[in-house]
Amino acid sequence: MGLRIRGVVLPERAERSFRIDGDVLREDPAPGGELLVDGGWLLPGLVDVHTHPGTEGPESVFADATFRRHLTEHRDAGVLLVRTPGTAAPVPDWVERDDELPRVRSAGRWLATPGRFFPGVGRDIGEDELVAAAVEEAAADGWCKVIGDWRWDEPAVPLELLTATVRAVHAAGGRVAVHCQTAEGSRNAVLAGADSLEHGMHLDPGLLDRMAAQGTALVPTLGVFAAGAAERRAGAPGPRRDDWLAGWAALPGTVRAAHEAGVTVLAGTDSFPCGTVAAESSWLLRAGLPPEAALGAASWAARAWLGLPGLVDGAPADVVAYDRDPVAHPEVLGCPERIVLKGRVVR
């Protein structure tokens, strides 16, 4: 009969029994088979929708061994699906075939027009090349990532160009993530119809209703900003420092307002070590998201947004199990008792 799991499924809060059939789940209430999980709380595998495995900073070189190590760190924390919105090199072909590593959704290489992003780290292109390059990157795995702005006092990618890019990628069946940390960059990403705003610092709350209506998600990466706030405050006073601190001060409130407006808010870490999306979920909770929404942002809501179902018959066999309800006890989220990836028992 194989392995079976039984417990209370979130977010439905219904007790269910599944049989692991290869790399999929089969709803099977009949007795028989070894019970791998008998009771407790069951979640679809955790998700980090903004992580950059393979390098550890703009000066490091992408390496397969580093990529594998980072994905393993994710897996061992129960993060069984990642989206990497920008890499320094194409995601290796072997990743998809490796049943011991999380599922990966890639946005290809960062697309950086002149003066935006670290030189030589992404795919450096002219503004006249952006539309074609975005379509090309999205063709590989459905997503592309545009660096929509960079320095606080320099212009963002022009709205007309970003709009043309989004339209071309959508016409080709792809989706567009936009890095934005300035007011202009965030505004342009929303008005262009981007599928996700990565960071969204200085986002005008007046644009939230439009984001909700057109399905633009917000990935605020609160934890990485929080980690850098003390260093920024200790830095020399000046317009750049003050602008950054003002953006950070407003961001948690914007995140809360985004959720209340119906925007899909998701958990992404953009930091190292990998496997820390539970901490990002905690930051969303601190920003004012309801506990279930903060948890879903790192699990079922993120999986649905990336096109995968939750714990239902025929779903991928990616499961994390807990002895305590992680909605009521969010501190347990990063330490699942059981981890099943692609039908294989990790822990």
Side-chain angles (χ1 to χ4, degrees), residues 43-48 51 68-82 100-102 269 271-281 295 298-299 303 318-322 326 330-341 345-347:
L43 270 69
L46 303 183
V47 186
D48 189 333
T51 179
R68 178 180 292 278
R69 174 167 57 83
H70 286 162
L71 290 181
T72 301
E73 290 171 356
H74 277 303
R75 181 203 66 194
D76 290 348
V79 180
L80 309 183
L81 172 64
V82 303
E100 296 184 354
L101 296 177
T269 59
S271 64
F272 300 100
C274 294
T276 59
V277 79
E280 183 64 20
S281 176
L295 177 56
S299 179
R303 292 180 77 88
D318 299 341
V319 184
V320 286
Y322 301 86
E331 68 275 8
V332 307
L333 186 60
C335 302
E337 296 294 323
R338 285 287 191 182
I339 301 172
V340 178
L341 169 65
V345 179
V346 175
R347 179 165 72 234

Side-chain angles (χ1 to χ4, degrees), residues 188-329:
N188 287 359
V190 175
L191 297 183
D195 297 281
S196 68
L197 269 62
E198 310 298 318
H199 314 302
M201 187 178 271
H202 296 287
L203 173 62
D204 178 0
L207 294 169
L208 295 176
D209 287 342
R210 178 163 180 160
M211 288 179 66
Q214 67 192 22
T216 298
L218 175 62
V219 186
T221 63
L222 292 172
V224 73
F225 287 130
E231 181 180 354
R232 293 278 183 164
R233 291 191 187 98
R240 181 178 181 181
R241 167 186 173 273
D242 294 347
D243 183 80
W244 192 97
L245 289 174
W248 163 237
L251 189 55
T254 301
V255 170
R256 179 175 61 253
H259 170 75
E260 292 170 351
V263 174
T264 298
V265 178
L266 299 171
T269 59
D270 193 27
S271 64
F272 300 100
C274 294
T276 59
V277 79
E280 183 64 20
S281 176
S282 178
W283 271 105
L284 295 176
L285 185 64
R286 292 172 64 177
L289 265 65
E292 189 164 294
L295 177 56
S299 179
W300 59 82
R303 292 180 77 88
W305 188 68
L306 290 171
L308 291 178
L311 299 183
V312 296
D313 186 77
D318 299 341
V319 184
V320 286
Y322 301 86
D323 288 341
R324 292 190 290 169
D325 178 0
V327 174
H329 303 279

Side-chain angles (χ1 to χ4, degrees), residues 44-68:
L46 303 183
V47 186
D48 189 333
V49 301
H50 188 125
T51 179
H52 301 293
T55 59
E56 295 187 334
E59 304 300 324
S60 66
V61 177
F62 184 94
D64 282 10
T66 306
F67 195 81
R68 178 180 292 278

